[in-house]
């Protein structure tokens, strides 16, 4: 079985043009997907004083080459990693994961220093030793926990716990009057380096809390903690409450502004819709108006048609050419007033007068 080394676990590079998940390729060392099942342990790791060690067998340390080739199942490579593990975070878990995966068959022993040693050599901790022991116990990569671990590893301690290798980052750790507390381990060939996780550490977390102290103090006051529990003075308590009220007012104002912006945006959207509808209706109205009252509109045709009907109605009807006509004389004959007799006429005109008299009589009858 190929050993899952730490370099392989940390070689997951992401490329934008890759074909694998998150832009990774097949050469990036991503393990294949496994069936869904529980890989975690059901119980926390035991303490070293609760584990029985068979001292009848001699303690013979394995070499690095032997450890890399793989050891029998009943003889795992015993790797030791120590630390403070205050505010246990992902950086601690990643370091222990690397230590667990240094060799194919690894038994990881983790030493946690006590409060007394930590306060003397490093400083005050947020969590007490029991809380730190319990946090390390529940890490899935840990097989055994050593309480009250020594600050500097001695040959006696290494022999007592039958340690083959010591895992830690390669940065020199100066403490307890030494430039590097792991110097003698490195010289003995028992040192196995791991990589630190950048961007996360206990000091970074404490720095965030100290930097935003007022925010977290107000947070805990809201959650029901008293000012005495938070070591907050009476004046600061009132100041925090006042700030909380001011923040609530600011939040309300901000909410009103956001709602007003949303309202204005909705009004603008509706106004744009109304303008568009108005433009459509206006175009339709103008088109209908031009269709009715334009130069070639329906109204002009209606007026023309009505005018033609009116002229036809008021114009006289012409008599047909075949209708009979009355033949009238050019002028009636002259009569003497108050006389029934016609003046004397010449013999030549007598016949013409007779005909005129006959015409006059007929005309009088018609009248």
């Amino acid at each position: 079985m190929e050993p899952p080394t730490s370099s392989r676990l940390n070689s997951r590079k992401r490329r934008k043009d890759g074909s694998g998940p998150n832009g990774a390729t097949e050469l990036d060392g991503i393990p294949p997907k496994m069936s869904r099942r529980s890989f975690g342990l059901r119980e926390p790791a035991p303490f070293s004083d609760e584990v029985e060690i068979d001292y009848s067998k001699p303690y013979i340390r394995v070499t690095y080459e032997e450890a890399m080739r793989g050891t029998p199942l009943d003889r795992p490579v015993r790797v030791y990693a120590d630390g403070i593990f205050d505010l246990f975070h992902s950086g601690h878990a990643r370091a222990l994961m690397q230590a667990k995966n240094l060799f194919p068959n690894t038994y990881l022993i983790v030493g946690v220093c006590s409060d007394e040693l930590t306060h003397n050599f490093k400083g005050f901790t947020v969590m007490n030793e029991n809380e730190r022991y319990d946090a390390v116990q529940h890490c899935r990569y840990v097989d055994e926990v050593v309480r009250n671990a020594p600050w500097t590893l001695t040959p006696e301690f290494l022999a007592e716990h039958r340690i083959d290798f010591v895992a830690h980052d390669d940065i020199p750790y100066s403490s307890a009057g030494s430039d590097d507390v792991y110097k003698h381990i490195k010289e003995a060939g028992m040192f196995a380096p791991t990589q630190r996780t950048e961007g996360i550490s206990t000091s970074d977390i404490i720095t965030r809390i100290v930097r935003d102290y007022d925010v977290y103090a107000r947070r805990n006051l809201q959650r029901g903690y008293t000012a005495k529990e938070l070591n907050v003075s009476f004046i600061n308590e009132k100041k925090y409450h006042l700030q909380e009220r001011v923040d609530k007012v600011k939040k309300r104002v901000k909410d009103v502004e956001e709602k007003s912006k949303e309202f204005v945006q909705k009004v603008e959207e509706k106004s744009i819709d109304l303008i568009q509808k108005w433009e459509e209706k206006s175009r339709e109205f103008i088109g209908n108006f031009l269709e009715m009252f334009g130069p070639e509109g329906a109204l002009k045709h209606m007026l023309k048609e009505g005018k033609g009907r009116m002229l036809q109605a008021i114009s006289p009807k012409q008599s047909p050419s075949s209708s009979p006509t009355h033949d009238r004389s050019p002028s009636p004959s002259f009569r003497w007033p108050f006389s029934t007799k016609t003046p004397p006429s010449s013999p030549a005109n007598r016949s013409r007068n007779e005909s005129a008299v006959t015409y006059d009589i007929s005309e009088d009858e018609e009248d």
Side-chain angles (χ1 to χ4, degrees), residues 150-161 163 181 184-185 190:
W151 197 262
T152 302
L153 300 179
T154 61
E156 292 76 16
F157 179 82
L158 297 175
E160 179 185 357
H161 294 278
I163 296 172
V181 295
H184 62 290
I185 303 295
M190 299 177 62

Side-chain angles (χ1 to χ4, degrees), residues 338-352:
F338 310 104
S339 175
T340 58
K341 294 181 180 180
T342 61
S345 58
S346 59
N349 295 331
R350 188 174 296 175
S351 59
R352 187 182 302 173

Side-chain angles (χ1 to χ4, degrees), residues 94-274:
R94 288 176 180 274
L96 298 179
M97 178 186 67
Q98 294 179 52
K100 178 68 174 179
N101 290 280
L102 284 172
F103 308 107
N105 185 17
T106 304
Y107 183 85
L108 181 59
I109 306 170
V110 180
V112 183
C113 299
S114 64
D115 288 344
E116 182 179 359
L117 283 176
T118 306
H119 297 168
N120 290 335
F121 293 107
K122 191 170 184 178
F124 192 74
T125 59
V126 178
M127 301 168 64
N128 58 44
E129 57 185 23
N130 292 324
E131 293 170 340
R132 293 184 285 113
Y133 297 155
D134 187 66
V136 175
Q137 265 190 302
H138 289 82
C139 179
R140 60 182 297 181
Y141 309 110
V142 179
D143 297 307
E144 184 179 329
V145 177
V146 178
R147 292 180 286 192
N148 193 15
W151 197 262
T152 302
L153 300 179
T154 61
E156 292 76 16
F157 179 82
L158 297 175
E160 179 185 357
H161 294 278
R162 301 193 170 193
I163 296 172
D164 295 314
F165 295 95
V166 177
H168 201 274
D169 60 83
D170 202 12
I171 301 174
Y173 193 83
S174 59
S175 181
S178 174
D179 295 336
D180 189 2
V181 295
Y182 299 102
K183 183 178 179 180
H184 62 290
I185 303 295
K186 295 176 181 178
E187 293 175 350
M190 299 177 62
F191 188 80
T194 58
Q195 300 294 326
R196 291 178 63 89
T197 302
E198 298 296 335
I200 183 69
S201 67
T202 302
S203 300
D204 291 339
I205 296 174
I206 295 175
T207 300
R208 298 177 199 172
I209 297 173
V210 173
R211 180 187 59 199
D212 301 327
Y213 169 77
D214 291 347
V215 175
Y216 293 112
R218 289 166 53 188
R219 171 184 177 274
N220 283 4
L221 285 173
Q222 294 175 9
R223 292 179 175 270
Y225 288 88
T226 63
K228 184 177 180 181
E229 291 174 333
L230 298 174
N231 196 23
V232 174
S233 64
F234 177 79
I235 296 176
N236 286 335
E237 181 184 6
K238 298 303 178 183
K239 182 184 74 173
Y240 293 148
H241 286 304
L242 180 60
Q243 289 177 349
E244 183 64 26
R245 293 178 182 177
V246 172
D247 290 345
K248 287 182 179 179
V249 173
K250 289 182 179 179
K251 185 178 180 181
R252 290 179 182 176
V253 172
K254 187 176 180 180
D255 294 339
V256 171
E257 289 180 353
E258 292 179 354
K259 290 181 180 179
S260 62
K261 288 180 181 179
E262 292 178 358
F263 176 75
V264 171
Q265 186 177 0
K266 290 181 180 179
V267 170
E268 290 179 353
E269 293 177 356
K270 289 184 178 180
S271 63
I272 292 173
D273 294 338
L274 291 175

Side-chain angles (χ1 to χ4, degrees), residues 349-362:
N349 295 331
R350 188 174 296 175
S351 59
R352 187 182 302 173
N353 292 335
E354 289 178 356
S355 62
V357 169
T358 305
Y359 171 77
D360 293 337
I361 293 172
S362 64

